[in-house]
Amino acid sequence: MKRAVFPGSFDPITIGHESIIKRALPLFDEIIIAVGYNVNKKGYFSLENRKNWIASVFEDEPAVKVDHFEGLTIEYCKRMEAKYLLRGLRTAADFEYERAIAQVNKAMHEGIETVFLLTMPEHTPVKSTIVRDIIRNGGDASKFLPKGMNIHDQKG
Ligand code: ADP
């Protein structure tokens, strides 16, 4: 079973994340979208909301599972018996950051391969930080959020 973990904050999930996951589906048997959680850095939206939104976006996709983890991503991958880490790349800055993490992960755990997908050009500027700022200031962020996801249904 080719199982990949897509780790991230997903605070909240955006059309950028959604597109990477959909495009990665033909490559793997199962993709676990794993919300990295840090008790000292709780994030903007609650863990529960972040997971519920992801689950609702992929409710018709049995190959997508939603989970969360604390601690090292690589330890989580070992626990889940996932040999692949999925990440998206938007810019050269993303690449530099991701390169170091992927190389260190590989050094720590030989059995892992990080698979990168380049963002669709139209998603390059989409990031959770900007979406959060729009929402925080009462703006309409819906064009950056997956279809059918109603962020106003649930309190952050
Ligand atoms: P992190 O908190 O580690 O930055 P994010 O939740 O922001 O994690 O993102 C998780 C993954 O999704 C990362 O690999 C990131 O590069 C990717 N990603 C985020 N936004 C986009 C986008 N607009 N297009 C492609 N990949 C994206």
Side-chain angles (χ1 to χ4, degrees), residues 6 8-22 33 35 45-46 49-58 64 66 126-129 131-132 135 141-147 149-151:
F6 186 36
S9 313
F10 305 102
D11 191 18
I13 185 171
T14 67
I15 49 171
H17 298 124
E18 180 193 26
S19 159
I20 294 285
I21 296 158
K22 286 192 170 159
I33 309 176
V35 182
F45 294 107
S46 70
N49 280 353
R50 288 188 242 171
K51 286 174 69 177
N52 286 343
W53 286 323
I54 301 168
S56 73
V57 172
F58 292 100
V64 171
V66 185
V126 179
K127 36 181 112 191
S128 299
T129 337
V131 168
R132 281 200 302 276
I135 294 167
S142 55
K143 66 164 64 150
F144 307 115
L145 299 172
K147 272 200 184 62
M149 171 179 154
N150 194 343
I151 210 144

CSV table of all heavy atoms in Angstrom, one decimal, residues 6 8-22 33 35 45-46 49-58 64 66 126-129 131-132 135 141-147 149-151:
chain,number,residue,atom,x,y,z
A,6,PHE,N,0.5,14.0,4.1
A,6,PHE,CA,0.6,15.4,3.7
A,6,PHE,C,0.5,16.2,5.0
A,6,PHE,O,-0.6,16.4,5.5
A,6,PHE,CB,-0.5,15.8,2.7
A,6,PHE,CG,-0.5,17.1,2.1
A,6,PHE,CD1,0.7,17.7,1.8
A,6,PHE,CD2,-1.6,17.9,1.9
A,6,PHE,CE1,0.8,19.0,1.3
A,6,PHE,CE2,-1.6,19.1,1.3
A,6,PHE,CZ,-0.4,19.7,1.0
A,8,GLY,N,0.9,19.5,7.6
A,8,GLY,CA,0.8,21.0,7.5
A,8,GLY,C,0.0,21.5,8.6
A,8,GLY,O,-0.6,20.8,9.4
A,9,SER,N,-0.2,22.9,8.6
A,9,SER,CA,-1.0,23.5,9.6
A,9,SER,C,-2.5,23.5,9.2
A,9,SER,O,-3.3,23.5,10.0
A,9,SER,CB,-0.5,24.9,9.9
A,9,SER,OG,0.9,24.9,10.0
A,10,PHE,N,-2.7,23.7,7.9
A,10,PHE,CA,-4.0,23.8,7.3
A,10,PHE,C,-4.9,24.7,8.2
A,10,PHE,O,-6.0,24.3,8.6
A,10,PHE,CB,-4.6,22.4,7.2
A,10,PHE,CG,-3.8,21.4,6.4
A,10,PHE,CD1,-3.0,20.5,7.0
A,10,PHE,CD2,-3.7,21.5,5.0
A,10,PHE,CE1,-2.2,19.6,6.3
A,10,PHE,CE2,-2.9,20.7,4.3
A,10,PHE,CZ,-2.1,19.7,4.9
A,11,ASP,N,-4.4,25.9,8.4
A,11,ASP,CA,-5.1,26.8,9.3
A,11,ASP,C,-5.6,28.1,8.6
A,11,ASP,O,-5.1,29.2,8.8
A,11,ASP,CB,-4.1,27.2,10.4
A,11,ASP,CG,-4.7,28.0,11.6
A,11,ASP,OD1,-5.9,27.9,11.7
A,11,ASP,OD2,-4.0,28.6,12.3
A,12,PRO,N,-6.5,28.0,7.7
A,12,PRO,CA,-7.3,26.8,7.3
A,12,PRO,C,-6.8,26.2,5.9
A,12,PRO,O,-5.9,26.7,5.3
A,12,PRO,CB,-8.7,27.4,7.0
A,12,PRO,CG,-8.4,28.7,6.4
A,12,PRO,CD,-7.1,29.2,7.1
A,13,ILE,N,-7.4,25.0,5.6
A,13,ILE,CA,-7.1,24.4,4.2
A,13,ILE,C,-7.6,25.5,3.2
A,13,ILE,O,-8.6,26.2,3.3
A,13,ILE,CB,-7.9,23.1,4.0
A,13,ILE,CG1,-7.5,22.4,2.7
A,13,ILE,CG2,-9.4,23.2,4.2
A,13,ILE,CD1,-8.0,21.0,2.5
A,14,THR,N,-6.8,25.5,2.1
A,14,THR,CA,-7.1,26.5,1.0
A,14,THR,C,-7.2,25.7,-0.3
A,14,THR,O,-6.9,24.5,-0.4
A,14,THR,CB,-5.9,27.5,0.8
A,14,THR,OG1,-4.8,26.8,0.3
A,14,THR,CG2,-5.6,28.2,2.1
A,15,ILE,N,-7.5,26.4,-1.4
A,15,ILE,CA,-7.6,25.8,-2.7
A,15,ILE,C,-6.2,25.3,-3.2
A,15,ILE,O,-6.1,24.4,-4.0
A,15,ILE,CB,-8.2,26.7,-3.8
A,15,ILE,CG1,-7.6,28.1,-3.8
A,15,ILE,CG2,-9.7,26.8,-3.6
A,15,ILE,CD1,-8.0,29.0,-5.0
A,16,GLY,N,-5.2,25.9,-2.6
A,16,GLY,CA,-3.8,25.5,-2.9
A,16,GLY,C,-3.6,24.1,-2.4
A,16,GLY,O,-3.1,23.2,-3.1
A,17,HIS,N,-3.9,23.8,-1.1
A,17,HIS,CA,-3.8,22.5,-0.5
A,17,HIS,C,-4.7,21.5,-1.3
A,17,HIS,O,-4.2,20.4,-1.6
A,17,HIS,CB,-4.2,22.5,0.9
A,17,HIS,CG,-3.4,23.4,1.8
A,17,HIS,ND1,-4.0,24.4,2.6
A,17,HIS,CD2,-2.1,23.4,2.1
A,17,HIS,CE1,-3.1,25.0,3.3
A,17,HIS,NE2,-1.9,24.4,3.1
A,18,GLU,N,-5.9,21.9,-1.5
A,18,GLU,CA,-6.9,21.0,-2.1
A,18,GLU,C,-6.4,20.5,-3.5
A,18,GLU,O,-6.4,19.3,-3.8
A,18,GLU,CB,-8.2,21.7,-2.3
A,18,GLU,CG,-9.3,20.9,-2.9
A,18,GLU,CD,-10.5,21.7,-3.4
A,18,GLU,OE1,-10.3,22.9,-3.7
A,18,GLU,OE2,-11.6,21.2,-3.5
A,19,SER,N,-5.8,21.4,-4.3
A,19,SER,CA,-5.3,21.1,-5.6
A,19,SER,C,-4.1,20.1,-5.5
A,19,SER,O,-4.1,19.1,-6.3
A,19,SER,CB,-4.9,22.4,-6.3
A,19,SER,OG,-4.0,22.2,-7.3
A,20,ILE,N,-3.2,20.4,-4.6
A,20,ILE,CA,-2.1,19.4,-4.4
A,20,ILE,C,-2.6,18.0,-4.1
A,20,ILE,O,-2.1,17.0,-4.7
A,20,ILE,CB,-1.1,20.0,-3.3
A,20,ILE,CG1,-0.4,21.3,-3.7
A,20,ILE,CG2,0.0,18.9,-3.0
A,20,ILE,CD1,0.7,21.2,-4.8
A,21,ILE,N,-3.5,18.0,-3.2
A,21,ILE,CA,-4.0,16.6,-2.7
A,21,ILE,C,-4.7,15.9,-3.9
A,21,ILE,O,-4.4,14.8,-4.2
A,21,ILE,CB,-5.0,16.8,-1.5
A,21,ILE,CG1,-4.3,17.4,-0.3
A,21,ILE,CG2,-5.7,15.5,-1.2
A,21,ILE,CD1,-5.1,18.1,0.7
A,22,LYS,N,-5.6,16.6,-4.6
A,22,LYS,CA,-6.3,16.0,-5.7
A,22,LYS,C,-5.3,15.5,-6.8
A,22,LYS,O,-5.5,14.5,-7.4
A,22,LYS,CB,-7.3,17.0,-6.3
A,22,LYS,CG,-8.5,17.2,-5.5
A,22,LYS,CD,-9.6,17.9,-6.2
A,22,LYS,CE,-10.9,17.9,-5.4
A,22,LYS,NZ,-11.8,19.0,-5.8
A,33,ILE,N,-4.0,13.3,5.4
A,33,ILE,CA,-3.8,14.8,5.6
A,33,ILE,C,-3.6,14.9,7.1
A,33,ILE,O,-4.6,14.7,7.9
A,33,ILE,CB,-4.9,15.6,5.1
A,33,ILE,CG1,-5.2,15.2,3.6
A,33,ILE,CG2,-4.6,17.1,5.1
A,33,ILE,CD1,-6.4,15.9,3.0
A,35,VAL,N,-2.8,17.2,10.3
A,35,VAL,CA,-2.6,18.5,10.9
A,35,VAL,C,-1.6,18.4,12.0
A,35,VAL,O,-1.8,17.8,13.0
A,35,VAL,CB,-4.0,19.0,11.4
A,35,VAL,CG1,-3.8,20.4,11.9
A,35,VAL,CG2,-5.1,18.9,10.3
A,45,PHE,N,-7.5,28.8,13.9
A,45,PHE,CA,-8.7,28.0,14.0
A,45,PHE,C,-8.4,26.7,14.9
A,45,PHE,O,-7.2,26.3,15.0
A,45,PHE,CB,-9.1,27.5,12.7
A,45,PHE,CG,-9.6,28.7,11.8
A,45,PHE,CD1,-8.9,29.1,10.8
A,45,PHE,CD2,-10.8,29.3,12.1
A,45,PHE,CE1,-9.3,30.2,10.0
A,45,PHE,CE2,-11.2,30.4,11.3
A,45,PHE,CZ,-10.5,30.8,10.3
A,46,SER,N,-9.4,26.2,15.6
A,46,SER,CA,-9.2,25.1,16.4
A,46,SER,C,-8.9,23.9,15.6
A,46,SER,O,-9.2,23.8,14.4
A,46,SER,CB,-10.5,24.8,17.2
A,46,SER,OG,-11.5,24.3,16.4
A,49,ASN,N,-12.0,22.2,14.1
A,49,ASN,CA,-12.5,22.9,12.9
A,49,ASN,C,-11.6,22.6,11.7
A,49,ASN,O,-12.1,22.3,10.6
A,49,ASN,CB,-12.5,24.4,13.1
A,49,ASN,CG,-13.8,24.8,13.9
A,49,ASN,OD1,-14.6,24.0,14.2
A,49,ASN,ND2,-13.8,26.1,14.2
A,50,ARG,N,-10.3,22.7,11.9
A,50,ARG,CA,-9.4,22.4,10.7
A,50,ARG,C,-9.6,21.0,10.2
A,50,ARG,O,-9.7,20.8,9.0
A,50,ARG,CB,-7.9,22.6,11.2
A,50,ARG,CG,-7.6,24.0,11.4
A,50,ARG,CD,-6.1,24.1,11.7
A,50,ARG,NE,-5.8,24.6,13.0
A,50,ARG,CZ,-4.6,24.6,13.5
A,50,ARG,NH1,-3.5,24.2,12.8
A,50,ARG,NH2,-4.3,25.1,14.7
A,51,LYS,N,-9.7,20.0,11.1
A,51,LYS,CA,-9.9,18.6,10.6
A,51,LYS,C,-11.3,18.5,10.0
A,51,LYS,O,-11.4,17.8,9.0
A,51,LYS,CB,-9.7,17.7,11.8
A,51,LYS,CG,-8.3,17.5,12.2
A,51,LYS,CD,-8.1,16.7,13.5
A,51,LYS,CE,-8.5,15.2,13.3
A,51,LYS,NZ,-8.2,14.4,14.5
A,52,ASN,N,-12.3,19.1,10.6
A,52,ASN,CA,-13.7,19.0,10.1
A,52,ASN,C,-13.8,19.5,8.6
A,52,ASN,O,-14.4,19.0,7.8
A,52,ASN,CB,-14.7,19.7,10.9
A,52,ASN,CG,-15.0,18.9,12.2
A,52,ASN,OD1,-14.7,17.7,12.3
A,52,ASN,ND2,-15.5,19.5,13.2
A,53,TRP,N,-13.1,20.7,8.4
A,53,TRP,CA,-13.2,21.3,7.1
A,53,TRP,C,-12.5,20.4,6.1
A,53,TRP,O,-13.0,20.2,5.0
A,53,TRP,CB,-12.5,22.7,7.1
A,53,TRP,CG,-13.3,23.7,7.8
A,53,TRP,CD1,-14.7,23.9,7.8
A,53,TRP,CD2,-12.8,24.8,8.7
A,53,TRP,NE1,-15.1,24.9,8.5
A,53,TRP,CE2,-14.0,25.5,9.1
A,53,TRP,CE3,-11.6,25.2,9.1
A,53,TRP,CZ2,-13.9,26.6,9.9
A,53,TRP,CZ3,-11.5,26.3,10.0
A,53,TRP,CH2,-12.6,27.0,10.4
A,54,ILE,N,-11.3,19.9,6.4
A,54,ILE,CA,-10.6,19.0,5.5
A,54,ILE,C,-11.5,17.8,5.2
A,54,ILE,O,-11.7,17.4,4.0
A,54,ILE,CB,-9.2,18.5,6.1
A,54,ILE,CG1,-8.3,19.7,6.4
A,54,ILE,CG2,-8.6,17.6,5.1
A,54,ILE,CD1,-7.1,19.4,7.2
A,55,ALA,N,-12.1,17.2,6.2
A,55,ALA,CA,-12.9,16.0,6.1
A,55,ALA,C,-14.1,16.3,5.2
A,55,ALA,O,-14.5,15.5,4.3
A,55,ALA,CB,-13.4,15.5,7.4
A,56,SER,N,-14.7,17.5,5.3
A,56,SER,CA,-15.8,17.8,4.5
A,56,SER,C,-15.4,18.0,3.0
A,56,SER,O,-16.2,17.6,2.1
A,56,SER,CB,-16.6,19.0,5.0
A,56,SER,OG,-15.9,20.2,4.8
A,57,VAL,N,-14.3,18.6,2.8
A,57,VAL,CA,-13.8,18.8,1.4
A,57,VAL,C,-13.6,17.4,0.7
A,57,VAL,O,-13.9,17.3,-0.5
A,57,VAL,CB,-12.5,19.6,1.4
A,57,VAL,CG1,-11.9,19.7,0.0
A,57,VAL,CG2,-12.7,21.0,1.9
A,58,PHE,N,-13.1,16.4,1.5
A,58,PHE,CA,-12.8,15.1,0.9
A,58,PHE,C,-13.7,14.0,1.3
A,58,PHE,O,-13.4,12.8,1.2
A,58,PHE,CB,-11.3,14.7,1.2
A,58,PHE,CG,-10.4,15.7,0.5
A,58,PHE,CD1,-9.8,16.7,1.2
A,58,PHE,CD2,-10.1,15.5,-0.9
A,58,PHE,CE1,-8.9,17.6,0.5
A,58,PHE,CE2,-9.2,16.4,-1.5
A,58,PHE,CZ,-8.6,17.4,-0.8
A,64,VAL,N,-8.6,9.5,1.0
A,64,VAL,CA,-8.1,10.6,1.8
A,64,VAL,C,-8.5,10.4,3.2
A,64,VAL,O,-9.7,10.2,3.5
A,64,VAL,CB,-8.5,12.0,1.3
A,64,VAL,CG1,-8.2,13.1,2.3
A,64,VAL,CG2,-7.9,12.2,-0.1
A,66,VAL,N,-8.0,11.9,7.4
A,66,VAL,CA,-7.7,13.1,8.1
A,66,VAL,C,-7.3,12.7,9.5
A,66,VAL,O,-8.0,12.0,10.1
A,66,VAL,CB,-8.9,14.1,8.1
A,66,VAL,CG1,-8.4,15.4,8.7
A,66,VAL,CG2,-9.4,14.4,6.7
A,126,VAL,N,-1.6,31.9,-3.0
A,126,VAL,CA,-2.6,31.5,-2.0
A,126,VAL,C,-1.9,30.9,-0.8
A,126,VAL,O,-1.2,29.9,-0.9
A,126,VAL,CB,-3.7,30.5,-2.6
A,126,VAL,CG1,-4.7,30.1,-1.5
A,126,VAL,CG2,-4.4,31.1,-3.8
A,127,LYS,N,-2.1,31.5,0.4
A,127,LYS,CA,-1.6,30.9,1.6
A,127,LYS,C,-2.5,31.1,2.8
A,127,LYS,O,-3.3,32.1,2.8
A,127,LYS,CB,-0.2,31.4,1.9
A,127,LYS,CG,0.1,32.9,1.6
A,127,LYS,CD,1.5,33.2,1.9
A,127,LYS,CE,2.4,33.5,0.7
A,127,LYS,NZ,3.7,33.6,0.9
A,128,SER,N,-2.4,30.2,3.7
A,128,SER,CA,-3.3,30.3,4.9
A,128,SER,C,-3.2,31.6,5.6
A,128,SER,O,-4.2,32.1,6.1
A,128,SER,CB,-3.1,29.1,5.8
A,128,SER,OG,-3.3,27.9,5.2
A,129,THR,N,-2.0,32.1,5.8
A,129,THR,CA,-1.8,33.4,6.5
A,129,THR,C,-2.6,34.5,5.9
A,129,THR,O,-3.3,35.2,6.7
A,129,THR,CB,-0.3,33.8,6.4
A,129,THR,OG1,0.5,32.7,6.0
A,129,THR,CG2,0.2,34.5,7.6
A,131,VAL,N,-5.3,34.2,3.9
A,131,VAL,CA,-6.7,33.8,4.1
A,131,VAL,C,-7.2,34.2,5.5
A,131,VAL,O,-8.2,34.8,5.8
A,131,VAL,CB,-6.9,32.3,3.8
A,131,VAL,CG1,-8.3,31.9,4.3
A,131,VAL,CG2,-6.8,32.1,2.3
A,132,ARG,N,-6.3,33.9,6.5
A,132,ARG,CA,-6.7,34.2,7.9
A,132,ARG,C,-6.8,35.7,8.1
A,132,ARG,O,-7.7,36.2,8.8
A,132,ARG,CB,-5.6,33.7,8.9
A,132,ARG,CG,-5.6,32.2,9.2
A,132,ARG,CD,-4.9,31.9,10.4
A,132,ARG,NE,-3.5,32.3,10.4
A,132,ARG,CZ,-2.5,31.6,9.9
A,132,ARG,NH1,-2.7,30.4,9.3
A,132,ARG,NH2,-1.2,32.0,10.0
A,135,ILE,N,-10.1,36.9,6.8
A,135,ILE,CA,-11.2,36.5,7.6
A,135,ILE,C,-11.2,37.3,8.9
A,135,ILE,O,-12.3,37.9,9.3
A,135,ILE,CB,-11.2,35.0,7.9
A,135,ILE,CG1,-11.4,34.2,6.6
A,135,ILE,CG2,-12.2,34.6,9.0
A,135,ILE,CD1,-11.1,32.7,6.7
A,141,ALA,N,-13.2,35.6,2.0
A,141,ALA,CA,-12.0,34.8,1.5
A,141,ALA,C,-12.5,33.6,0.7
A,141,ALA,O,-11.7,32.7,0.3
A,141,ALA,CB,-11.2,34.3,2.7
A,142,SER,N,-13.8,33.5,0.4
A,142,SER,CA,-14.3,32.3,-0.2
A,142,SER,C,-13.7,31.8,-1.5
A,142,SER,O,-13.6,30.6,-1.8
A,142,SER,CB,-15.8,32.4,-0.4
A,142,SER,OG,-16.2,33.5,-1.2
A,143,LYS,N,-13.1,32.8,-2.3
A,143,LYS,CA,-12.5,32.3,-3.6
A,143,LYS,C,-11.2,31.6,-3.3
A,143,LYS,O,-10.7,31.0,-4.3
A,143,LYS,CB,-12.4,33.5,-4.6
A,143,LYS,CG,-11.4,34.6,-4.2
A,143,LYS,CD,-11.1,35.4,-5.4
A,143,LYS,CE,-12.4,36.2,-5.9
A,143,LYS,NZ,-12.0,37.4,-6.6
A,144,PHE,N,-10.7,31.7,-2.1
A,144,PHE,CA,-9.4,31.0,-1.8
A,144,PHE,C,-9.7,29.7,-1.0
A,144,PHE,O,-8.7,28.9,-0.7
A,144,PHE,CB,-8.5,31.9,-1.0
A,144,PHE,CG,-8.2,33.2,-1.7
A,144,PHE,CD1,-8.7,34.4,-1.1
A,144,PHE,CD2,-7.6,33.2,-2.9
A,144,PHE,CE1,-8.5,35.6,-1.7
A,144,PHE,CE2,-7.4,34.5,-3.6
A,144,PHE,CZ,-7.9,35.6,-3.0
A,145,LEU,N,-10.9,29.4,-0.7
A,145,LEU,CA,-11.3,28.2,0.1
A,145,LEU,C,-12.0,27.2,-0.8
A,145,LEU,O,-12.7,27.6,-1.8
A,145,LEU,CB,-12.3,28.6,1.2
A,145,LEU,CG,-11.7,29.7,2.2
A,145,LEU,CD1,-12.8,30.1,3.1
A,145,LEU,CD2,-10.6,29.1,3.0
A,146,PRO,N,-11.7,25.9,-0.5
A,146,PRO,CA,-12.4,24.9,-1.3
A,146,PRO,C,-13.9,25.1,-1.4
A,146,PRO,O,-14.5,25.6,-0.4
A,146,PRO,CB,-12.1,23.6,-0.6
A,146,PRO,CG,-10.8,23.9,0.1
A,146,PRO,CD,-10.9,25.3,0.5
A,147,LYS,N,-14.5,24.7,-2.6
A,147,LYS,CA,-15.9,24.9,-2.8
A,147,LYS,C,-16.7,24.1,-1.7
A,147,LYS,O,-16.4,23.0,-1.3
A,147,LYS,CB,-16.3,24.3,-4.1
A,147,LYS,CG,-16.2,25.4,-5.2
A,147,LYS,CD,-17.1,25.0,-6.4
A,147,LYS,CE,-16.9,26.0,-7.5
A,147,LYS,NZ,-15.5,26.0,-8.0
A,149,MET,N,-17.0,24.8,1.4
A,149,MET,CA,-16.5,24.8,2.7
A,149,MET,C,-17.0,26.1,3.3
A,149,MET,O,-16.6,27.2,2.9
A,149,MET,CB,-15.0,24.8,2.7
A,149,MET,CG,-14.3,25.1,4.0
A,149,MET,SD,-12.5,25.0,3.7
A,149,MET,CE,-12.0,26.1,5.0
A,150,ASN,N,-17.8,26.0,4.3
A,150,ASN,CA,-18.3,27.3,4.9
A,150,ASN,C,-17.6,27.6,6.2
A,150,ASN,O,-18.0,27.1,7.3
A,150,ASN,CB,-19.9,27.2,5.1
A,150,ASN,CG,-20.4,28.6,5.4
A,150,ASN,OD1,-19.7,29.5,5.8
A,150,ASN,ND2,-21.7,28.7,5.2
A,151,ILE,N,-16.7,28.5,6.1
A,151,ILE,CA,-15.8,28.8,7.3
A,151,ILE,C,-16.6,29.6,8.4
A,151,ILE,O,-16.2,29.6,9.5
A,151,ILE,CB,-14.6,29.6,6.8
A,151,ILE,CG1,-13.4,29.3,7.7
A,151,ILE,CG2,-14.9,31.1,6.6
A,151,ILE,CD1,-12.1,29.2,7.0
